[in-house]
Amino acid sequence: MRRGLISVAIFAAFVVIYTLSRHAIDTSTTTTTTSSTTTTTAAHATTTTTSTLASSTCSGSSFSGAYNEGQGAAGTIYASVTLTKTAPGSCTVDGWPLVTLQDKLGGLVTVTPIDVPSATNGFQFLPGTASDLTSAANRAPSSLSLTQNQSVTFALAYSDVAVGTKACGNGVSMSVQFATDGSTVSLTPSSPIQPCDNGQIWLSPFYAAS
């Protein structure tokens, strides 16, 4: 009888152990991976470019002109022309003037311009022989920027001594251009311009009026 009870107890213990082993809890580790997203914002640099427009070549229609009567020396007449900007805005003058002469009927008078200074001749304008004439008349041309009411000058000279039997010109009015095909500044000298030797006229570059 005692032995039977022991056998029953052993069997019951076995059942308990088996049952517990069947219901054992498995502990598992869950790893959560968080994905980190990096957003890169590209900054676009904005570049502002300021463009300065160069002044345009002056137009004769924006100017008034005055002929400054000169003096004579050894058969050569010296004079100058002052051109004043009457229109608003700015423009640039550079180089030598383009000069034409008209007779009393409006016809063109022959003009042979000679730019001074020049490597082909040694002509020099004489200081004091024309109104507003300075040593600047003998310098190489330079670019001049003009605004309203500013002026530029150029000097001129010509021989009034006839060569042989050929008559000298007789210009009663003058037209000046700053550039080929540009508009003109017209002016009237108090005395005719009478260049001899096929209308030869020495011209200085434009220079700043004093």
Side-chain angles (χ1 to χ4, degrees):
M1 182 72 176
R2 183 178 181 85
R3 181 176 295 179
L5 293 173
I6 293 173
S7 298
V8 171
I10 292 172
F11 178 78
F14 175 79
V15 171
V16 170
I17 292 172
Y18 178 79
T19 303
L20 290 175
S21 66
R22 293 284 295 178
H23 289 83
I25 299 172
D26 293 330
T27 303
S28 61
T29 302
T30 302
T31 302
T32 302
T33 302
T34 302
S35 177
S36 176
T37 302
T38 302
T39 302
T40 303
T41 302
H44 295 280
T46 302
T47 302
T48 302
T49 302
T50 301
S51 162
T52 303
L53 297 177
S55 297
S56 59
T57 301
C58 289
S59 174
S61 59
S62 298
F63 285 75
S64 62
Y67 188 88
N68 308 307
E69 298 289 347
Q71 302 174 5
T76 300
I77 305 299
Y78 294 85
S80 67
V81 172
T82 298
L83 304 173
T84 302
K85 193 172 189 305
T86 57
S90 63
C91 64
T92 300
V93 172
D94 197 358
W96 289 266
L98 303 176
V99 172
T100 57
L101 299 178
Q102 296 83 33
D103 60 25
K104 62 181 181 180
L105 298 178
L108 292 177
V109 174
T110 298
V111 171
T112 303
I114 300 175
D115 295 337
V116 178
S118 171
T120 60
N121 69 84
F123 184 88
Q124 290 279 301
F125 290 99
L126 303 178
T129 55
S131 174
D132 197 30
L133 178 59
T134 68
S135 59
N138 294 310
R139 296 174 189 164
S142 60
S143 180
L144 302 172
S145 181
L146 302 176
T147 58
Q148 190 173 20
N149 298 322
Q150 289 187 317
S151 301
V152 289
T153 296
F154 68 88
L156 63 97
Y158 60 90
S159 172
D160 62 351
V161 178
V163 178
T165 59
K166 191 168 184 177
C168 300
N170 191 54
V172 298
S173 63
M174 171 185 285
S175 295
V176 180
Q177 292 173 287
F178 293 105
T180 303
D181 297 328
S183 57
T184 62
V185 188
S186 298
L187 48 118
T188 303
S190 57
S191 300
I193 303 171
Q194 299 176 315
C196 300
D197 196 12
N198 199 35
Q200 182 172 279
I201 298 180
W202 291 280
L203 297 168
S204 81
F206 292 106
Y207 59 89
S210 60

